[in-house]
Each structure stands twice: as C-alpha cells, then as structure tokens.
Amino acid sequence: IERLLKAQAHGVRVIGSSTLALCHLASGAADAYYQFGLHCWDLAAATVIIREAGGTVIDTSGGPLDLMSCRVIAAGTREMAMFIAQEIQTIYYRRDDEN
C-alpha cells in the first residue's frame, strides 16, 4: 500500500463490493482498482462498462486481461494501470477454466 500511495490519486478506499468499486471506476468516482480472486462472472460485464467509459482493464502482470486468471487491474488511464502493475506483487489463484 505504501508504494501505491505515491500515485497521483485522491486516496485509497476499500468499499467491500468489487462490482460497486468497478462501477465507481467507470463513472469516474475512483481512479483505479485492483483485486485478486475475482471470478470471470465478477469481471465480464464490468470490463465492458469500464472500457466503454474509456478506462483500461489489464492483468496484474501488466499484460492483457485474462478473464479466467482471477486477477485484475482497472484504471481510468493506461498509465495508472501500468503504475499499479509495476508496484504490486501478483498472487496466482486457481484459474476459472481449470477443474
């Protein structure tokens, strides 16, 4: 968290709902969001909404989003998303497409 506080953001919040947090991002009420352990059904619709609003959604490694990987960074700008990807350590969860 200390490394993320260097970002040009208004603050750090955890609101308890990934769907609500992602919608806040799409509306411009939040600058960025990252999470590990979200499933594809948590991310699919929000990804479309954020991208349609002009935001960026990527994998926590900094690469393209893989809905089955259970990890995400969403941000209002690509620069913010890449900053977060460089500052956090990726946690690997079981993929949604594995048995």
Side-chain angles (χ1 to χ4, degrees):
I1 293 293
E2 185 176 320
R3 291 188 304 218
L4 293 176
L5 291 175
K6 296 179 210 168
Q8 296 292 322
H10 300 290
V12 176
R13 294 184 196 140
V14 177
I15 59 176
S17 166
S18 60
T19 302
L20 186 56
L22 291 164
C23 288
H24 276 163
L25 176 80
S27 75
D31 295 312
Y33 175 81
Y34 77 95
Q35 183 68 43
F36 300 98
L38 292 181
H39 296 284
C40 57
W41 52 84
D42 298 318
L43 294 173
T47 297
V48 173
I49 293 167
I50 291 166
R51 288 179 174 163
E52 287 292 320
T56 298
V57 185
I58 62 172
D59 186 82
T60 56
S61 67
L65 178 66
D66 175 357
L67 282 174
M68 298 299 166
S69 72
C70 298
R71 55 185 190 253
V72 65
I73 296 173
T77 66
R78 179 145 184 85
E79 293 79 18
M80 177 65 83
M82 294 307 292
F83 172 80
I84 294 168
Q86 292 170 4
E87 296 298 325
I88 63 172
Q89 181 178 353
T90 295
I91 299 170
Y92 294 93
Y93 279 79
R94 185 176 179 171
R95 295 176 55 84
D96 278 341
D97 55 359
E98 292 179 350
N99 291 334

mmCIF file of all heavy atoms in Angstrom, residues 10 13 16 45 48-49 51 53 67-69 71 80 98:
data_model
loop_
_atom_site.group_PDB
_atom_site.id
_atom_site.type_symbol
_atom_site.label_atom_id
_atom_site.label_comp_id
_atom_site.label_asym_id
_atom_site.label_seq_id
_atom_site.Cartn_x
_atom_site.Cartn_y
_atom_site.Cartn_z
ATOM 1 N N HIS A 10 -6.620 10.365 -5.412
ATOM 2 C CA HIS A 10 -7.282 11.114 -4.347
ATOM 3 C C HIS A 10 -7.162 10.424 -2.995
ATOM 4 O O HIS A 10 -7.227 11.065 -1.961
ATOM 5 C CB HIS A 10 -8.763 11.315 -4.684
ATOM 6 C CG HIS A 10 -8.971 12.069 -5.946
ATOM 7 N ND1 HIS A 10 -8.687 13.404 -6.078
ATOM 8 C CD2 HIS A 10 -9.419 11.662 -7.148
ATOM 9 C CE1 HIS A 10 -8.959 13.799 -7.306
ATOM 10 N NE2 HIS A 10 -9.401 12.759 -7.979
ATOM 11 N N ARG A 13 -9.290 3.536 -0.911
ATOM 12 C CA ARG A 13 -10.540 3.090 -0.282
ATOM 13 C C ARG A 13 -10.784 1.628 -0.589
ATOM 14 O O ARG A 13 -10.473 1.153 -1.668
ATOM 15 C CB ARG A 13 -11.733 3.876 -0.823
ATOM 16 C CG ARG A 13 -11.723 5.305 -0.471
ATOM 17 C CD ARG A 13 -12.988 5.975 -0.955
ATOM 18 N NE ARG A 13 -12.764 7.403 -0.937
ATOM 19 C CZ ARG A 13 -13.186 8.228 -1.858
ATOM 20 N NH1 ARG A 13 -13.877 7.785 -2.867
ATOM 21 N NH2 ARG A 13 -12.929 9.510 -1.762
ATOM 22 N N GLY A 16 -15.738 -2.785 -0.183
ATOM 23 C CA GLY A 16 -16.340 -4.061 0.157
ATOM 24 C C GLY A 16 -17.068 -4.785 -0.960
ATOM 25 O O GLY A 16 -17.403 -5.950 -0.812
ATOM 26 N N ALA A 45 -18.902 -8.224 -17.251
ATOM 27 C CA ALA A 45 -19.727 -7.044 -17.550
ATOM 28 C C ALA A 45 -19.011 -5.753 -17.167
ATOM 29 O O ALA A 45 -19.036 -4.771 -17.912
ATOM 30 C CB ALA A 45 -21.072 -7.140 -16.836
ATOM 31 N N VAL A 48 -16.508 -4.571 -19.799
ATOM 32 C CA VAL A 48 -17.145 -3.888 -20.936
ATOM 33 C C VAL A 48 -17.527 -2.458 -20.546
ATOM 34 O O VAL A 48 -17.255 -1.509 -21.288
ATOM 35 C CB VAL A 48 -18.386 -4.669 -21.419
ATOM 36 C CG1 VAL A 48 -19.150 -3.888 -22.468
ATOM 37 C CG2 VAL A 48 -17.975 -6.025 -21.963
ATOM 38 N N ILE A 49 -18.127 -2.292 -19.393
ATOM 39 C CA ILE A 49 -18.570 -0.968 -18.943
ATOM 40 C C ILE A 49 -17.378 -0.020 -18.792
ATOM 41 O O ILE A 49 -17.413 1.126 -19.246
ATOM 42 C CB ILE A 49 -19.359 -1.084 -17.620
ATOM 43 C CG1 ILE A 49 -20.683 -1.824 -17.873
ATOM 44 C CG2 ILE A 49 -19.611 0.291 -17.010
ATOM 45 C CD1 ILE A 49 -21.385 -2.277 -16.614
ATOM 46 N N ARG A 51 -14.345 -0.224 -20.179
ATOM 47 C CA ARG A 51 -13.732 0.073 -21.479
ATOM 48 C C ARG A 51 -14.607 1.016 -22.294
ATOM 49 O O ARG A 51 -14.092 1.910 -22.974
ATOM 50 C CB ARG A 51 -13.441 -1.218 -22.231
ATOM 51 C CG ARG A 51 -12.272 -1.977 -21.615
ATOM 52 C CD ARG A 51 -11.969 -3.258 -22.323
ATOM 53 N NE ARG A 51 -10.761 -3.873 -21.773
ATOM 54 C CZ ARG A 51 -10.435 -5.130 -21.956
ATOM 55 N NH1 ARG A 51 -11.201 -5.930 -22.692
ATOM 56 N NH2 ARG A 51 -9.319 -5.609 -21.423
ATOM 57 N N ALA A 53 -16.414 3.297 -21.110
ATOM 58 C CA ALA A 53 -16.277 4.606 -20.465
ATOM 59 C C ALA A 53 -14.898 5.218 -20.703
ATOM 60 O O ALA A 53 -14.631 6.326 -20.258
ATOM 61 C CB ALA A 53 -16.543 4.469 -18.966
ATOM 62 N N LEU A 67 -9.704 -13.089 -18.409
ATOM 63 C CA LEU A 67 -10.852 -13.214 -17.504
ATOM 64 C C LEU A 67 -10.781 -14.456 -16.617
ATOM 65 O O LEU A 67 -11.334 -14.473 -15.526
ATOM 66 C CB LEU A 67 -12.159 -13.236 -18.297
ATOM 67 C CG LEU A 67 -12.668 -11.900 -18.812
ATOM 68 C CD1 LEU A 67 -13.895 -12.116 -19.689
ATOM 69 C CD2 LEU A 67 -12.987 -10.955 -17.682
ATOM 70 N N MET A 68 -10.113 -15.496 -17.077
ATOM 71 C CA MET A 68 -10.061 -16.736 -16.313
ATOM 72 C C MET A 68 -8.979 -16.747 -15.240
ATOM 73 O O MET A 68 -8.910 -17.656 -14.430
ATOM 74 C CB MET A 68 -9.834 -17.923 -17.262
ATOM 75 C CG MET A 68 -10.940 -18.114 -18.261
ATOM 76 S SD MET A 68 -12.496 -18.446 -17.425
ATOM 77 C CE MET A 68 -13.634 -18.202 -18.762
ATOM 78 N N SER A 69 -8.127 -15.720 -15.193
ATOM 79 C CA SER A 69 -6.983 -15.710 -14.271
ATOM 80 C C SER A 69 -7.343 -15.302 -12.843
ATOM 81 O O SER A 69 -6.531 -15.462 -11.940
ATOM 82 C CB SER A 69 -5.894 -14.772 -14.793
ATOM 83 O OG SER A 69 -6.301 -13.420 -14.661
ATOM 84 N N ARG A 71 -7.673 -12.274 -11.592
ATOM 85 C CA ARG A 71 -6.949 -11.093 -11.117
ATOM 86 C C ARG A 71 -7.136 -9.968 -12.122
ATOM 87 O O ARG A 71 -7.240 -10.203 -13.322
ATOM 88 C CB ARG A 71 -5.480 -11.395 -10.879
ATOM 89 C CG ARG A 71 -4.775 -11.978 -12.070
ATOM 90 C CD ARG A 71 -3.352 -12.375 -11.720
ATOM 91 N NE ARG A 71 -2.655 -12.695 -12.938
ATOM 92 C CZ ARG A 71 -2.329 -13.921 -13.322
ATOM 93 N NH1 ARG A 71 -2.618 -14.952 -12.540
ATOM 94 N NH2 ARG A 71 -1.700 -14.130 -14.453
ATOM 95 N N MET A 80 -1.948 4.825 -15.219
ATOM 96 C CA MET A 80 -2.245 4.456 -13.832
ATOM 97 C C MET A 80 -2.265 2.931 -13.682
ATOM 98 O O MET A 80 -1.730 2.382 -12.715
ATOM 99 C CB MET A 80 -3.573 5.047 -13.379
ATOM 100 C CG MET A 80 -3.991 4.652 -11.974
ATOM 101 S SD MET A 80 -2.901 5.256 -10.672
ATOM 102 C CE MET A 80 -3.543 6.900 -10.479
ATOM 103 N N GLU A 98 -9.936 -24.089 -14.964
ATOM 104 C CA GLU A 98 -9.302 -25.324 -14.516
ATOM 105 C C GLU A 98 -10.309 -26.146 -13.707
ATOM 106 O O GLU A 98 -11.163 -25.607 -13.039
ATOM 107 C CB GLU A 98 -8.086 -25.038 -13.635
ATOM 108 C CG GLU A 98 -6.931 -24.415 -14.380
ATOM 109 C CD GLU A 98 -5.753 -24.115 -13.471
ATOM 110 O OE1 GLU A 98 -5.888 -24.203 -12.231
ATOM 111 O OE2 GLU A 98 -4.700 -23.774 -14.008
#
